Amino acid sequence: MTLSSSSLSKLLRRNAHDPALAWRLFKLLALSPCPSPSPPPFSSLSFISLLLARAHMLPELHSLHRHLLLLPSSASSAAASAAVAAAAADGGLLDPALSFFASLRSRFPSCPPPLRLYNSLLRLALRSRRADLVEVLYKDMLVCGVAPEAYTFNVLMASLCGSGRIESARVLFDKMPLKGCRPNEYSFGVLVHGYCRERRSLEALELLGEMGRFGCRPNLVIYNTIISGFCREGRIDEAEKLVERMRQEGLVPNVVTFNSRMSALCKAGKVLEAYRIFRDMQEDRELGLPRPNRTTFDIMLGGFCEAGMIEEARALVESMKGSGFFRKVETCNLWLSGLVKNGRLLEARELLEEMGKKGVEPNLRSYNIVVDGLCREKMMFAAWSVIGLMQKSGISPDTVTYTTILRGYCSKGNVSKANRILNEMVSNGCFPNLFTCNILLQSLWKEGKLAEADKLLEKMNEKGYRLDIVSCNIVIHGLCKNGKLDKAIGIVDGMWQYGSAALGELGNSFVGLVDDAGDTRKCVPDRITYSILISGLCKAGKLDEAKRKLLEMMGKNIAPDSLIYDIFIHGYCKHGKMSSAFKVLRDMEKKGFDPSTRTYNLLIWGLASKQQLDEILKLINEMKEKRILPDVRTYNYLIKSLCEGGMAYKALPLIEEMLQNNIIPNVTSFGLLIKALCKASDFDAAQGIFHGALSTCGEKEAIYSLMCNELCTCGKALAGKELLEIAFDKGFTIERFPYKNLIEELCKGDHVDDAQSLLNTMIGKGYLFDPATFMPVIDALGKRGSKHAADILSEKMMVMAAHHDEPNNVSDSHYGKKKKEASPETDWRAILHRDDGSGIALKILKRVQRGWGQGSIPTPRPQNNDFLDAWESTG
């Protein structure tokens, strides 16, 4: 049976909805043996090839290609093979397309492939982000003598711009007329996008003037790209002028134009300016502005959330609900992320539960957003409850979920729990990625577990993890932090030749890694690496060696940034070399780096440590002259200097000055003043600052504990007792409060009944505290002859002692945690070895112990923290 070419094409198109049936028909009608083998009709061949490629029917596509290879070599056979290769490329099949192309070049060396095939391959290479392949294909075109067209140049320029090589793209653009290709609107658009991406929007604007020379006119896309670039660079005036220029040229700005401007303004932190545009789009119909779409609302919602304008965001969400723009999970996730970022975790949890009821099913990202927020606040129990909610909805935790939970436990220093999470993660088929491993590695170095960190590196090597620069920087930072600077320097030096294999200096299995010096992806030190190393050297006082490392990094073409200069300033200030620190400041300015508030804060900190108040004031005036805004730390250093210099009353007006400058004083600001005023015995003024702190910072536990400590230190035990009782009523923990010292001072001052009352209140409130707190009261009652009351307290002390030594007994945040004292002799066990005349208390304790048959006091067992067991059974 034979059909004409046009009939076969029609038959195939009618069956395009069923690629398998179309293929069977094509084989039957076009690939049947005939007296003189020849390629199938070109149009039919192109159509079936593309149909197979888009359906990812690779065996059939390879079968077709093999059939063509068996045909006699001819121009038509070459064209047919090229058609199959082009179809594979158009269908997004990179590897088969390259294979077919290589076969074509090999079988028909004297027959150059058609330009269409090159264009299809170039387009796919660009989409696959294979800049290396784009260059190879272009060079092959030139070798084969295939003349590129404008489309070819556009793809090449897009590839160059995408890899940050804008100058090379511009050279190629300028060559187009010389190659007989006139740039079109797309050519200009590619180059404009490249310039704007590099934050060079003014150069992109200059291209608009060249378009007329080639008979091109700027379109909306080009205008929108430049407008967005101007906004992103903070050139708001230029963006507004360009919008007006659009109108003059007869182009009406569309919603994309306004969305671009709003998005860029929000990213630049100019949320109120973005909101002005948004409001005009909603209300000002006379200007003929486009109405906001869902993207517009999402941009505005994200901007409010990022800027911390949570109430404005809430009002917008209510408006979106009324307009029907709050029905997409992506929009809900924006609001979830905003709530979490601004500490509204309870609201985020409620929104998560509400989404399903409103017909918007949360996805995995929704749950991960909330889990991440809870873990960052170390609310691990609540995070697990959200994971339970996720599993009930049929969504399984992924590697991101487990990594987030694992990071939460690592941030709390709970490595044994991280071990169990890793076990569960692997058992559920979610294998840790490099990011997970880096979190564990950082946690181990942070805790000083050097052997475990070394073992983790070895395990990562065994499991085939390719370490990145982050991994190397974590190790280098850990070595610096633990005083192993020589090893850190050795690794950095070795990385230039061996990449991550230089970690073999630690003595682990990385010693056996193959030298990857020829690998273009080799880990080499970056600016962060040198920042870590220089910081470690500066902290250790090795400032000359730090300077040598600075010269080394510059010799390696790694330019220092302002942070590097700040590290040197901090190092000099820490070691009292203020003149050298100021030389770094002036050198920094000469090199074109603008000092920041952080830079000046470091200098002020150094001057404060030397009590050079006049120099601090000069530096603050210099900041004002340079329009560098002070922050809360700047003021805190100044307050500290004034207070330590006996000038606390001169520091008092600084609180008001901070508020006038929109700088919110923190607990440290008020704490410095409270301490200084209490030391000066001006308790009325201290009390006023205390209430000011509560008004400004909120009812924070730290403020109460600070005031209570100062009252106790200054002999105001009764006032401290009253404040501590207020703290009880507010449900604060008591670990930061000087409850032991207060009770002891009350007993010394013949206020035994007050001390006993405070002790009973603590017991009645359910606090768990150091049993040694009972001793001064028991001693005082015994000396006073109140034997029965002393016995009752002794029994309560032993109950407290039994609870105190139970592992993991503190689970409720309402309980005070065990207070770590400077000396172990303050621990309650030390009363058995005291020799301070407390015979009555000692006898009572021994009598109670014998009566209960307790024997010796139990000691908690050490925990096993080897989390690497989780990998032992995995392949």
Side-chain angles (χ1 to χ4, degrees), residues 105 233 354 416 788 820:
R105 294 286 287 114
E233 296 169 29
E354 181 186 319
S416 64
H788 179 66
K820 294 183 179 179

Side-chain angles (χ1 to χ4, degrees), residues 74 179 261 334 548 610 653 684 731 820:
S74 65
K179 299 289 185 179
R261 294 165 67 195
L334 267 177
R548 285 196 291 272
K610 289 181 167 291
D684 289 338
K820 294 183 179 179

Side-chain angles (χ1 to χ4, degrees), residues 573-598:
C573 290
K574 181 181 179 182
H575 296 283
K577 299 182 178 182
M578 295 307 301
S579 60
S580 297
F582 275 96
K583 285 179 183 177
V584 174
L585 173 67
R586 303 310 170 202
D587 185 58
M588 180 180 183
E589 292 172 327
K590 286 178 184 176
K591 296 287 175 60
F593 291 97
D594 294 327
S596 63
T597 303
R598 179 186 61 210

Side-chain angles (χ1 to χ4, degrees), residues 10 16 97 144 187 240 279 289 354 417 436 458 497 585 590 688 844:
K10 289 178 182 178
C144 291
S187 312
E240 297 296 339
R279 190 183 56 210
L289 303 182
E354 181 186 319
K417 186 65 177 177
T436 314
E458 185 176 348
Q497 183 176 0
L585 173 67
K590 286 178 184 176
I844 291 172

Side-chain angles (χ1 to χ4, degrees), residues 32 185 204 235 519 572 840:
S32 298
E185 285 86 353
R235 300 176 180 273
D519 191 343
Y572 283 122
I840 296 172

Side-chain angles (χ1 to χ4, degrees), residues 426-608:
V426 174
S427 65
N428 288 341
C430 291
F431 291 94
N433 54 24
L434 183 58
F435 182 68
T436 314
C437 297
N438 283 342
I439 289 170
L440 292 169
L441 190 62
Q442 187 174 32
S443 179
L444 289 169
W445 279 111
K446 185 178 180 181
E447 294 183 24
K449 298 179 181 292
L450 309 190
E452 290 90 336
D454 193 49
K455 187 177 178 183
L456 175 58
L457 284 170
E458 185 176 348
K459 187 66 65 177
M460 290 167 68
N461 180 41
E462 289 176 9
K463 297 296 178 182
Y465 287 90
R466 181 187 179 87
L467 296 193
D468 60 3
I469 189 62
V470 176
S471 314
C472 296
N473 286 343
I474 288 170
V475 172
I476 293 163
H477 183 264
L479 289 169
C480 290
K481 186 178 179 182
N482 288 277
K484 299 180 181 294
L485 286 166
D486 290 339
K487 275 193 174 183
I489 292 170
I491 288 175
V492 172
D493 292 342
M495 284 173 67
W496 287 108
Q497 183 176 0
Y498 300 107
S500 60
L503 295 183
E505 295 292 325
L506 293 173
N508 58 36
S509 62
F510 275 74
V511 172
L513 288 180
V514 177
D515 182 355
D516 62 352
D519 191 343
T520 57
R521 297 176 297 167
K522 176 183 64 177
C523 283
V524 295
D526 59 6
R527 187 183 291 116
I528 295 174
T529 313
Y530 276 99
S531 297
I532 292 168
L533 193 57
I534 289 171
S535 178
L537 291 167
C538 287
K539 286 177 182 177
K542 299 182 178 182
L543 297 162
D544 290 336
E545 194 165 352
K547 283 194 286 186
R548 285 196 291 272
K549 284 297 169 186
L550 175 64
L551 294 174
E552 177 185 306
M553 70 177 281
M554 294 170 70
K556 299 284 188 180
N557 293 322
I558 302 175
D561 59 2
S562 58
L563 178 62
I564 297 280
Y565 285 101
D566 286 351
I567 289 170
F568 274 102
I569 289 173
H570 178 261
Y572 283 122
C573 290
K574 181 181 179 182
H575 296 283
K577 299 182 178 182
M578 295 307 301
S579 60
S580 297
F582 275 96
K583 285 179 183 177
V584 174
L585 173 67
R586 303 310 170 202
D587 185 58
M588 180 180 183
E589 292 172 327
K590 286 178 184 176
K591 296 287 175 60
F593 291 97
D594 294 327
S596 63
T597 303
R598 179 186 61 210
T599 310
Y600 278 95
N601 282 348
L602 288 169
L603 289 164
I604 292 170
W605 167 72
L607 293 169

Side-chain angles (χ1 to χ4, degrees), residues 525-799:
D526 59 6
R527 187 183 291 116
I528 295 174
T529 313
Y530 276 99
S531 297
I532 292 168
L533 193 57
I534 289 171
S535 178
L537 291 167
C538 287
K539 286 177 182 177
K542 299 182 178 182
L543 297 162
D544 290 336
E545 194 165 352
K547 283 194 286 186
R548 285 196 291 272
K549 284 297 169 186
L550 175 64
L551 294 174
E552 177 185 306
M553 70 177 281
M554 294 170 70
K556 299 284 188 180
N557 293 322
I558 302 175
D561 59 2
S562 58
L563 178 62
I564 297 280
Y565 285 101
D566 286 351
I567 289 170
F568 274 102
I569 289 173
H570 178 261
Y572 283 122
C573 290
K574 181 181 179 182
H575 296 283
K577 299 182 178 182
M578 295 307 301
S579 60
S580 297
F582 275 96
K583 285 179 183 177
V584 174
L585 173 67
R586 303 310 170 202
D587 185 58
M588 180 180 183
E589 292 172 327
K590 286 178 184 176
K591 296 287 175 60
F593 291 97
D594 294 327
S596 63
T597 303
R598 179 186 61 210
T599 310
Y600 278 95
N601 282 348
L602 288 169
L603 289 164
I604 292 170
W605 167 72
L607 293 169
S609 64
K610 289 181 167 291
Q611 284 294 302
Q612 295 180 338
L613 181 59
D614 291 339
E615 296 300 319
I616 291 174
L617 294 173
K618 287 180 184 177
L619 210 54
I620 290 175
N621 287 331
E622 183 178 317
M623 289 178 71
K624 292 177 180 177
E625 289 172 5
K626 294 181 178 179
R627 296 185 178 180
I628 298 173
L629 298 176
D631 61 8
V632 68
R633 286 193 176 190
T634 316
Y635 278 98
N636 284 351
Y637 290 141
L638 181 55
I639 291 170
K640 183 174 183 288
S641 295
L642 288 168
C643 289
E644 289 179 352
M647 294 177 278
Y649 295 103
K650 287 187 177 181
L652 288 175
L654 292 176
I655 296 292
E656 184 63 29
E657 184 179 319
M658 290 170 74
L659 293 171
Q660 289 176 355
N661 292 333
N662 294 320
I663 300 171
I664 307 301
N666 58 19
V667 174
T668 303
S669 315
F670 292 105
L672 290 167
L673 290 169
I674 289 171
K675 286 181 180 180
L677 293 169
C678 286
K679 187 178 180 181
S681 298
D682 192 344
F683 296 104
D684 289 338
Q687 194 75 12
I689 293 294
F690 168 70
H691 289 296
L694 295 178
S695 300
T696 305
C697 304
E699 298 279 329
K700 290 190 175 179
E701 180 181 316
I703 300 171
Y704 280 91
S705 64
L706 189 146
M707 187 68 189
C708 192
N709 270 290
E710 292 307 311
L711 289 172
C712 182
T713 302
C714 296
K716 295 285 184 177
L718 285 175
K721 170 184 174 286
E722 291 177 5
L723 200 60
L724 185 55
E725 287 172 338
I726 294 172
F728 292 160
D729 292 337
K730 292 185 177 296
F732 293 148
T733 59
I734 60 169
E735 59 178 333
R736 294 181 180 178
F737 287 84
Y739 58 91
K740 286 199 294 185
N741 292 340
L742 267 177
I743 287 174
E744 192 170 346
E745 289 298 317
L746 288 168
C747 290
K748 287 180 182 178
D750 286 334
H751 296 290
V752 180
D753 292 336
D754 288 303
Q756 186 177 1
S757 169
L758 187 58
L759 200 57
N760 287 328
T761 302
M762 290 166 65
I763 296 168
K765 293 282 185 181
Y767 286 104
L768 181 66
F769 52 89
D770 189 343
T773 310
F774 286 84
M775 294 310 302
V777 185
I778 293 173
D779 283 348
L781 290 172
K783 289 175 183 177
R784 199 169 70 176
S786 303
K787 180 177 177 297
H788 179 66
D791 282 351
I792 292 173
L793 279 185
S794 297
E795 291 179 4
K796 290 181 178 179
M797 179 180 70
M798 295 310 298
V799 172

Side-chain angles (χ1 to χ4, degrees), residues 14-300:
R14 279 202 301 269
N15 292 280
H17 63 281
D18 189 346
L21 176 59
W23 167 242
R24 289 198 297 272
L25 289 171
F26 183 80
K27 280 200 303 181
L28 177 65
L29 301 174
L31 301 185
S32 298
C34 55
S36 58
S38 61
F42 189 82
S43 60
S44 303
L45 177 67
S46 298
F47 181 80
I48 194 65
S49 301
L50 187 57
L51 198 63
L52 294 175
R54 287 177 175 170
H56 283 223
M57 297 172 66
L58 292 180
E60 291 79 2
L61 198 60
H62 280 286
S63 174
L64 176 59
H65 183 251
R66 283 194 299 271
H67 175 83
L68 297 177
L69 291 177
L70 296 175
L71 297 174
S73 180
S74 65
S76 58
S77 297
S81 296
V84 175
D90 293 338
L93 305 176
L94 181 61
D95 290 336
L98 291 176
S99 174
F100 298 159
F101 176 75
S103 175
L104 176 68
R105 294 286 287 114
S106 173
R107 190 177 179 211
F108 304 100
S110 60
C111 185
L115 176 60
R116 179 186 175 280
L117 174 56
Y118 278 111
N119 285 344
S120 295
L121 288 170
L122 286 167
R123 182 172 61 246
L124 181 56
L126 176 63
R127 197 162 62 237
S128 304
R129 298 183 180 179
R130 290 285 306 275
D132 57 328
L133 184 57
V134 170
E135 292 191 33
V136 168
L137 288 167
Y138 180 60
K139 288 177 182 177
D140 191 72
M141 279 183 69
L142 300 181
V143 168
C144 291
V146 178
E149 62 183 5
Y151 179 86
T152 316
F153 280 107
N154 291 343
V155 173
L156 292 170
M157 287 191 297
S159 177
L160 290 168
C161 290
S163 57
R165 297 160 65 186
I166 185 67
E167 301 300 343
S168 299
R170 181 61 199 246
V171 170
L172 197 63
F173 175 85
D174 292 337
K175 284 183 179 179
M176 287 180 69
L178 302 177
K179 299 289 185 179
C181 295
R182 173 179 287 194
N184 54 26
E185 285 86 353
Y186 190 82
S187 312
F188 282 97
V190 168
L191 210 53
V192 162
H193 184 268
Y195 276 124
C196 290
R197 182 177 177 179
E198 297 291 319
R199 303 182 72 85
R200 295 162 64 177
S201 299
L202 284 174
E203 291 174 75
L205 182 63
E206 291 173 4
L207 280 171
L208 296 186
E210 298 182 35
M211 293 185 72
R213 189 157 54 95
F214 297 100
C216 301
R217 288 190 60 200
N219 54 32
L220 268 174
V221 174
I222 292 176
Y223 271 116
N224 287 344
T225 303
I226 302 177
I227 288 166
S228 179
F230 277 143
C231 292
R232 191 163 48 247
E233 296 169 29
R235 300 176 180 273
I236 308 302
D237 292 339
E238 283 89 344
E240 297 296 339
K241 289 176 183 175
L242 200 53
V243 172
E244 187 57 34
R245 179 173 166 180
M246 284 177 67
R247 290 195 174 100
Q248 291 173 358
E249 294 187 6
L251 288 173
V252 179
N254 60 6
V255 70
V256 176
T257 312
F258 286 89
N259 287 348
S260 299
R261 294 165 67 195
M262 287 176 55
S263 177
L265 286 167
C266 287
K267 287 177 182 176
K270 300 180 179 182
V271 182
L272 292 179
E273 291 185 41
Y275 180 65
R276 178 178 57 80
I277 296 172
F278 175 75
R279 190 183 56 210
D280 288 345
M281 291 173 71
Q282 278 189 307
E283 300 173 359
D284 204 336
R285 297 179 183 273
E286 293 181 2
L287 292 176
L289 303 182
R291 300 290 293 164
N293 58 12
R294 190 173 70 86
T295 303
T296 318
F297 278 93
D298 284 355
I299 290 169
M300 201 65 253

